[in-house]
Amino acid sequence: MAELKTKRFSIGYALLLKKQKSFIQDSLVNLAKQRGIDLIKIDTDKPLVDQGPFDCVLHKLYGEEWRKQLQEYLVCNPSAIVIDFPDAIERLHNRISMLDVVSEIEEVKDNETASFGVPKQVVVYEPEKLKDAKAWSEGLKFPVIAKPLVADGSAKSHKMLLIFSTEGFDELKTPTVLQEFVNHGGVIFKVYVVGKYVKCVKRKSLPDITEEKLDSLSGSLSFSQISNLTSDERNDDKYYKMMDSEDAAMPPMSLITNIACGLRTTMKLHLFNFDVIRDTKAGNRYLVIDINYFPGYAKMPGYESVLTDFFWDVLNKKEDRSFNCEKGLMKLVGNNGGCGEEDTGSPTVSSALKKGEP
């Protein structure tokens, strides 16, 4: 009697070279293969519809042309899965709409006294308004962080300045986002989300700026220069102890999971991370300062098993989805479910698509 062959799944990945090198490592490819999942590189120089067929398309490419290719592929392969939808990813390319989503999350009250939100921020479109603090301040005061409005992953979008006075706006280009700088003990919490899986780690961040220090500062500094702010203090052992992220208490996991679940449900995304800081003045107040799609998961210990579990779950437990061919829209429908606790390693939610009626 002939042996029954176990069904194998194929995931076509379309990633820029830098992302391929960091994410598609042998350890991930081999573990996925053991689970019956083959990771196959998509040739971006050829039409997507002529490749595969793939059970799933994993991508981090942008632009109208790529969006059209995905639409055409899904028309021809209505049972295929796409992770994630371009329209949902697009929201994270604007630093204002990116954080607006945090206000849409319902804050779940539990035994924790901690709360969350976002820093005060404003977008300035006209260069002349930068010099007029009254035109943009809206409760903001120096120092402020200046970030490009567009957050598309390019080198330009990562250029950020810490500004101490109006002179710091001299070479700044608009549109730009001005965000209040909040002292946070020199520690940032990076939260990785993979479906229902949530992992929080801590990293060193920008040093706090005291009122006395601020009085002696003017103009601006790029983030790479900010380490020089406390050069005089670095001979002091107390400074190093203060900056030791190992001593920083982690945020309540219930709070982090609540934020992760809310973001995932509201944004309709499954692969992202967000950065959180603790306001040292409030102590129990946490601020989301950035959200990124498809981050550097290889930096996360054991990422191979987390992603492989996610792929398996996506391929085997599809939820209802629809694809409106007539309007050329990708629309996520169905139940998104909740989020699990840290290190569950068992995410449940796919971006499965089914061809809907026009």
Side-chain angles (χ1 to χ4, degrees):
M1 184 167 146
E3 277 188 31
L4 291 174
K5 287 188 177 180
T6 304
K7 174 177 171 52
R8 297 194 66 83
F9 296 102
S10 63
I11 296 180
Y13 61 87
L15 306 170
L16 294 177
L17 184 59
K18 185 178 179 181
K19 175 62 71 174
Q20 285 181 41
K21 288 182 177 179
S22 66
F23 183 74
I24 306 295
Q25 297 186 14
D26 289 344
S27 53
L28 174 64
V29 173
N30 293 335
L31 184 59
K33 189 172 292 185
Q34 291 172 20
R35 294 285 295 275
I37 303 169
D38 298 316
L39 296 174
I40 302 168
K41 181 180 177 181
I42 290 172
D43 187 344
T44 53
D45 292 328
K46 297 178 181 178
L48 178 60
V49 73
D50 294 338
Q51 301 180 65
F54 306 111
D55 297 291
C56 173
V57 174
L58 177 71
H59 74 103
K60 193 180 180 181
L61 298 180
Y62 309 123
E64 189 59 30
E65 177 56 34
W66 174 246
R67 189 177 186 280
K68 287 179 180 177
Q69 287 202 50
L70 283 174
Q71 291 173 343
E72 184 179 357
Y73 184 83
L74 291 169
V75 169
C76 297
N77 301 274
S79 63
I81 302 164
V82 169
I83 307 172
D84 271 307
F85 298 127
D87 285 353
I89 298 170
E90 188 69 26
R91 184 171 189 171
L92 297 186
H93 290 174
N94 179 298
R95 283 196 165 91
I96 294 296
S97 63
M98 173 198 294
L99 294 188
D100 279 349
V101 71
V102 178
S103 64
E104 299 173 29
I105 302 174
E106 182 179 351
E107 195 158 347
V108 176
K109 301 296 182 183
D110 53 21
N111 294 328
E112 303 290 351
T113 57
S115 62
F116 68 87
V118 298
K120 295 176 184 176
Q121 62 179 18
V122 64
V123 60
V124 180
Y125 293 96
E126 299 84 8
E128 59 273 13
K129 284 190 176 180
L130 287 172
K131 285 288 188 177
D132 181 8
K134 292 181 180 178
W136 57 260
S137 59
E138 295 186 20
L140 293 180
K141 61 179 182 178
F142 292 112
V144 295
I145 299 173
K147 307 178 178 183
L149 178 62
V150 176
D152 58 3
S154 65
K156 181 181 177 182
S157 70
H158 287 298
K159 288 186 177 180
M160 302 182 193
L161 297 174
L162 187 55
I163 297 179
F164 308 102
S165 63
T166 53
E167 290 77 16
F169 295 127
D170 287 346
E171 297 181 11
L172 198 61
K173 295 181 178 179
T174 53
T176 190
V177 174
L178 301 179
Q179 185 182 86
E180 70 172 333
F181 177 80
V182 178
N183 283 333
H184 53 282
V187 176
I188 190 170
F189 302 98
K190 303 189 81 68
V191 183
Y192 294 91
V193 180
V194 183
K196 282 189 174 180
Y197 180 92
V198 180
K199 177 71 174 178
C200 181
V201 299
K202 52 189 171 184
R203 298 283 185 266
K204 288 189 177 181
S205 180
L206 303 180
D208 288 352
I209 301 173
T210 63
E211 291 291 339
E212 295 77 17
K213 193 72 179 177
L214 183 59
D215 290 339
S216 65
L217 296 168
S218 62
S220 66
L221 286 175
S222 66
F223 275 27
S224 60
Q225 296 173 304
I226 292 173
S227 59
N228 297 325
L229 274 176
T230 49
S231 57
D232 294 338
E233 302 161 0
R234 292 194 173 216
N235 294 322
D236 187 347
D237 289 341
K238 291 181 180 179
Y239 169 77
Y240 280 106
K241 185 170 180 59
M242 177 186 72
M243 290 297 292
D244 189 354
S245 62
E246 293 302 316
D247 292 339
M250 295 293 285
M253 198 57 207
S254 57
L255 179 80
I256 292 299
T257 302
N258 177 30
I259 298 172
C261 180
L263 289 176
R264 175 180 163 275
T265 303
T266 305
M267 298 190 303
K268 308 290 194 294
L269 293 174
H270 306 92
L271 301 176
F272 63 93
N273 81 333
F274 58 97
D275 296 339
V276 178
I277 59 174
R278 180 192 289 115
D279 186 343
T280 53
K281 281 188 178 180
N284 62 347
R285 176 73 172 169
Y286 293 85
L287 302 173
V288 179
I289 59 172
D290 198 18
I291 307 172
N292 299 289
Y293 180 66
F294 204 149
Y297 285 117
K299 298 175 185 176
M300 186 176 71
Y303 92 102
E304 299 92 341
S305 60
V306 173
L307 269 297
T308 299
D309 284 345
F310 171 69
F311 294 150
W312 176 259
D313 197 74
V314 162
L315 292 162
N316 286 277
K317 300 177 182 178
K318 301 178 182 180
E319 295 185 1
D320 291 334
R321 299 290 185 267
S322 71
F323 176 62
N324 189 323
C325 308
E326 184 180 57
K327 295 183 180 179
L329 299 175
M330 297 177 189
K331 185 177 180 182
L332 186 65
V333 297
N335 178 28
N336 274 300
C339 285
E341 294 296 329
E342 179 186 18
D343 292 330
T344 62
S346 180
T348 308
V349 169
S350 72
S351 291
L353 289 165
K354 290 184 179 179
K355 187 175 180 181
E357 294 298 322

